[in-house]
Amino acid sequence: MRCCGEYQVSEVSRQRQWRPLIYRKCTDIPWLVLFFVFWSGLVFIAGYALVAGAAERLVFGYDSYGNVCGRRNSPIPNAPFSGQDMTYRKHVFFLDSCNLEIRNLKINSVALCVSDCPQEQLNTLHEVQFFAKNNGSYLCVYKLNYTEYTTHTKALEWCPVLPVPSSKSFPLFNRCVPQNPDCYSRFASVLINVVNEVDFFHRILSGIMAGKDNVIGLSILAVGLSVIMVLTFLFISTLLVHIFLTLLIFGLLFVSGVLWWLYYDHVNDPSYELETEKENAKFLLGFAIIATLVTIVLLTFIFVLRKSIQMTIQLFLVTSKFIRCMPLLVLQPVWTFVILIFYWVLWVAVLLSLGTSGNAQVSPEGQVEYKPLAGIRYMWWYHLIGFIWTSEFFLACQQMIISGATVSWYLHRDKNKIRHPILSSLSLVFWYHLGTAIIGSFLITLMRIPRMVLCYTFQLLRDKPDNVCSRCTLKCCACSSFCFEKFLKSLDQNAYTASIINGTPFCTSANDAYGILAKNPPHVSSLNCSGVFLILLGKVFVVCFTVFGGLMAFNYHRELHVWAIPLLLVAFFAYLVSHCFLSLFETVIHSLFLCYAVDIETNDGSLEKPYFMEQDLKALIHQTNTEADKLKNRPHQNGDDGIELQALSRAD
């Protein structure tokens, strides 16, 4: 077996030969080449960003000489006091914290890295020297030894302005904030101006880094909730489903109410004048509106489909029985999740470095200032497209592998003779169908990027009262693209399954799958939709309770960062994790119904042409339709020996 080679299949009729292709070729090779070229650009951007960027400066702060506080630093050419080990100096201290001014995003006071902020006011240089001796925290410039604080002729110039107010470290930026009311008001106003003048991209990155502990904890919570949902569907029962639906309804109503309350609390908070608080309030308003609409829609669907819950439970019993026949199939989402986590961590690291890439400029006094590189920072759009496309590609590969194992099991009469269906499916995908997975994931990316642009444009026009018509048009376009994206995902899934069966390219497989599924009776399609809807509720359950945990965690840490952005990323991560885990059931259900359509198209249930489906699936299908005898009147394809399944189309 080799790429673009031939997958030989014996022409001798064998019992249960479900893939009668003479040979199999690589599919959609041009898309494989395009993906490789695209990833070459991602590698270039990642390499440049990691070399030129320094994400630690965003959160940990740095002194006037280019040293990041709390870190071991590398020397900067022509900067004599750079490259120092600041591992134990984690706080930024300003020599004149009571008279700060900002000009062109640069503060007029010299900044130093110190080990401790002075907890009490220091009135003389002797007290500054005593503080340095006892605490090991040196508040004068690095070139002045603490023993010379009281004797050097330039001590008053190189040491902090007296009196030094008592201060404590700010929890986000690690700055020593003065506690004197007058100094604090001046310091806070300058720091607020700094935060407000820093561009939105940097504030987002600061929020991510500042809330990294909460983000990690919430990500672990999302994984745990996803595992719980997998176990719920795997060992499903009527009681579990009713408990799950009750918790989901409660969670949707509670999260929507909390979002509206938080929005009201932010708008009426005295710190609302801070730009980051205004952005948080805007995001909260958007979250609240979206959560309310989603709650109304989902509750409506739950009410309409309440009578079909029992049939949906029977469908999941059949699906879980099938999965238990291949228990290692449950591990497939785990491996996909591990790969995605590794990629996401790498992606975030590159994003942070991309946002902080800049050249160090050394002044005649030896102080360092970083000039941002405007060109490379705008490449984060390319980086974002790579994130979506690559993530969807990994998920597409998972769907194809699960589909291949499902098809292998379904279209085999003697289940005991099936050997390594998962490994066989993995081998087929890796050697022959990576291009098919790439084009399917690209279609999803192609729909998602314009929707993001539309949503961003809508945000820009939201505060302009004379653009009501434009905002409504953009919103309708975004909703339409969202619905079309969901259609594409369903089309992709069926195309992957047909490609595994026939070895055909994506477009041919999608056309074949759509044609044969269109012949399915309406009750079968309705049952399929009910199963997919219950899986969607499982994903909403994970996202809902993860967001609830995020609201509780981030709301207690509002200080000067856009925490709504990390919350949005956590919600997106929770959805991706839940989709990664629960797509096992969704993929199996889609593949089962496609195989069912092929089965009834090819066979008639007679002794000469028996169905491939097992009795429990057959009983479920017949239970949903009182006119099950209509299946016997369908026209059927003729096989060479009257038993074996024939390909829908041959690979050329």
Side-chain angles (χ1 to χ4, degrees):
M1 183 181 297
R2 63 185 187 277
C3 184
C4 302
E6 296 182 355
Y7 181 91
Q8 299 293 339
V9 179
S10 174
E11 299 185 52
V12 179
S13 179
R14 296 183 297 179
Q15 188 72 12
R16 305 296 301 126
Q17 181 66 42
W18 65 269
R19 184 163 70 261
L21 295 176
I22 304 302
Y23 58 86
R24 182 182 294 262
K25 289 185 176 181
C26 285
T27 56
D28 302 297
I29 298 177
W31 286 94
L32 187 63
V33 176
L34 176 63
F35 192 65
F36 175 79
V37 174
F38 180 84
W39 250 90
S40 299
L42 287 179
V43 171
F44 169 78
I45 291 176
Y48 186 87
L50 293 176
V51 171
E56 295 173 330
R57 295 201 307 265
L58 281 174
V59 172
F60 300 109
Y62 60 99
D63 61 15
S64 299
Y65 306 99
N67 300 296
V68 178
C69 299
R71 293 293 184 269
R72 185 186 297 272
N73 297 274
S74 300
I76 299 174
N78 301 321
F81 298 104
S82 64
Q84 299 191 37
D85 185 2
M86 298 296 183
T87 305
Y88 301 103
R89 299 184 179 187
K90 301 180 179 180
H91 309 285
V92 180
F93 175 78
F94 295 97
L95 296 188
D96 192 5
S97 58
C98 289
N99 297 287
L100 294 183
E101 293 182 3
I102 179 174
R103 295 175 183 175
N104 299 324
L105 287 178
K106 183 178 180 181
I107 296 177
N108 62 336
S109 176
V110 174
L112 304 174
C113 292
V114 298
S115 56
D116 287 306
C117 301
Q119 301 295 321
E120 297 180 356
Q121 180 171 301
L122 307 177
N123 297 307
T124 65
L125 290 178
H126 287 87
E127 293 182 2
V128 174
Q129 185 181 50
F130 184 77
F131 176 78
K133 181 178 180 181
N134 289 345
N135 296 278
S137 184
Y138 308 105
L139 305 183
C140 297
V141 295
Y142 303 138
K143 58 185 176 182
L144 183 63
N145 191 284
Y146 81 94
T147 58
E148 300 178 300
Y149 282 4
T150 58
T151 59
H152 200 281
T153 55
K154 291 189 176 183
L156 291 176
E157 178 183 349
W158 292 345
C159 288
V161 177
L162 299 175
V164 180
S166 61
S167 59
K168 64 178 182 180
S169 179
F170 195 74
L172 173 61
F173 293 110
N174 296 326
R175 267 64 170 180
C176 291
V177 180
Q179 300 303 295
N180 179 283
D182 293 335
C183 293
Y184 177 81
S185 60
R186 297 176 186 175
F187 186 94
S189 63
V190 170
L191 190 57
I192 287 173
N193 290 333
V194 172
V195 175
N196 287 345
E197 292 188 26
V198 173
D199 61 81
F200 181 66
F201 183 50
H202 272 80
R203 290 202 297 271
I204 290 176
L205 298 182
S206 297
I208 295 174
M209 291 296 292
K212 62 181 182 302
D213 294 334
N214 291 328
V215 170
I216 294 174
L218 292 170
S219 301
I220 296 175
L221 175 63
V223 174
L225 291 174
S226 299
V227 172
I228 291 175
M229 290 310 307
V230 169
L231 296 177
T232 300
F233 289 150
L234 200 57
F235 303 98
I236 196 169
S237 66
T238 304
L239 177 61
L240 281 177
V241 170
H242 283 87
I243 294 175
F244 157 65
L245 291 177
T246 302
L247 289 175
L248 177 63
I249 294 173
F250 168 78
L252 287 172
L253 295 175
F254 189 75
V255 168
S256 299
V258 169
L259 284 170
W260 282 111
W261 175 79
L262 285 176
Y263 171 71
Y264 176 81
D265 182 62
H266 271 69
V267 172
N268 292 277
D269 192 277
S271 63
Y272 185 66
E273 63 181 23
L274 186 60
E275 188 66 25
T276 52
E277 284 298 299
K278 292 181 180 179
E279 289 172 358
N280 284 333
K282 291 180 181 179
F283 281 110
L284 282 174
L285 177 61
F287 290 161
I289 294 175
I290 293 174
T292 303
L293 293 177
V294 169
T295 300
I296 294 174
V297 172
L298 290 180
L299 291 181
T300 303
F301 274 102
I302 291 174
F303 178 78
V304 171
L305 299 175
R306 68 190 187 281
K307 295 182 179 180
S308 62
I309 290 180
Q310 196 59 41
M311 295 305 302
T312 307
I313 294 175
Q314 295 297 322
L315 172 62
F316 274 87
L317 288 174
V318 174
T319 305
S320 60
K321 178 183 176 181
F322 168 81
I323 294 175
R324 286 196 293 269
C325 293
M326 293 185 294
L328 293 180
L329 203 62
V330 180
L331 297 179
Q332 179 58 38
V334 177
W335 289 115
T336 306
F337 174 72
V338 171
I339 295 174
L340 285 174
I341 284 294
F342 176 78
Y343 171 68
W344 290 340
V345 170
L346 178 62
W347 185 86
V348 170
V350 174
L351 177 66
L352 295 176
S353 299
L354 196 63
T356 57
S357 57
N359 293 325
Q361 304 290 333
V362 182
S363 67
E365 296 80 14
Q367 298 183 11
V368 177
E369 182 181 357
Y370 290 94
K371 296 292 185 181
L373 301 176
I376 194 65
R377 287 169 53 201
Y378 291 108
M379 292 302 294
W380 73 279
W381 276 105
Y382 190 95
H383 193 54
L384 177 63
I385 295 174
F387 172 77
I388 298 175
W389 192 2
T390 305
S391 298
E392 291 294 339
F393 168 70
F394 289 140
L395 293 174
C397 290
Q398 170 187 286
Q399 292 175 351
M400 293 196 74
I401 293 171
I402 296 175
S403 296
T406 305
V407 167
S408 177
W409 187 272
Y410 186 103
L411 299 178
H412 211 296
R413 301 190 193 279
D414 190 356
K415 310 298 184 184
N416 296 324
K417 291 185 178 180
I418 301 178
R419 294 184 177 275
H420 311 298
I422 301 176
L423 289 178
S424 299
S425 179
L426 175 63
S427 177
L428 283 178
V429 172
F430 180 77
W431 288 106
Y432 298 103
H433 300 302
L434 286 180
T436 301
I438 289 171
I439 186 175
S441 57
F442 176 78
L443 291 177
I444 301 299
T445 305
L446 194 62
M447 289 305 304
R448 188 166 295 174
I449 295 299
R451 180 157 58 89
M452 294 175 62
V453 174
L454 290 173
C455 292
Y456 177 73
T457 307
F458 174 81
Q459 293 293 330
L460 294 179
L461 298 177
R462 186 175 58 182
D463 298 329
K464 298 181 179 180
D466 56 337
N467 288 309
V468 177
C469 183
S470 301
R471 294 201 306 270
C472 292
T473 303
L474 290 172
K475 205 65 176 178
C476 292
C477 292
C479 293
S480 300
S481 63
F482 175 78
C483 296
F484 189 65
E485 179 186 327
K486 294 302 179 184
F487 168 76
L488 280 180
K489 285 188 175 182
S490 177
L491 182 67
D492 282 354
Q493 176 58 64
N494 294 319
Y496 297 152
T497 306
S499 182
I500 288 292
I501 294 176
N502 303 311
T504 49
F506 178 86
C507 295
T508 304
S509 300
N511 181 66
D512 292 338
Y514 178 80
I516 199 168
L517 286 174
K519 300 179 181 180
N520 264 350
H523 67 279
V524 175
S525 301
S526 176
L527 184 60
N528 189 2
C529 293
S530 299
V532 173
F533 179 69
L534 187 60
I535 294 173
L536 174 63
L537 292 182
K539 298 176 184 178
V540 173
F541 177 86
V542 175
V543 175
C544 179
F545 281 89
T546 303
V547 169
F548 171 72
L551 289 173
M552 297 298 101
F554 285 116
N555 189 50
Y556 292 102
H557 300 282
R558 300 184 182 181
E559 305 92 349
L560 298 181
H561 67 278
V562 187
W563 60 265
I565 291 297
L567 181 62
L568 180 62
L569 292 179
V570 165
F572 180 67
F573 175 81
Y575 174 78
L576 286 181
V577 171
S578 61
H579 176 71
C580 181
F581 278 85
L582 298 182
S583 63
L584 168 65
F585 296 91
E586 187 174 0
T587 304
V588 170
I589 289 175
H590 280 298
S591 301
L592 283 177
F593 279 109
L594 181 61
C595 290
Y596 165 80
V598 175
D599 195 6
I600 63 175
E601 180 74 11
T602 308
N603 304 303
D604 56 11
S606 62
L607 293 177
E608 293 80 12
K609 301 176 68 176
Y611 288 126
F612 287 104
M613 74 182 79
E614 295 187 343
Q615 290 300 318
D616 50 358
L617 178 59
K618 185 176 181 180
L620 174 63
I621 298 295
H622 286 195
Q623 186 179 353
T624 60
N625 185 23
T626 57
E627 302 179 8
D629 293 336
K630 289 184 177 181
L631 292 177
K632 298 181 180 180
N633 300 324
R634 290 173 57 105
H636 303 284
Q637 297 179 359
N638 293 321
D640 295 337
D641 54 9
I643 295 178
E644 296 303 325
L645 177 69
Q646 299 300 305
L648 302 180
S649 60
R650 294 173 63 88
D652 297 325

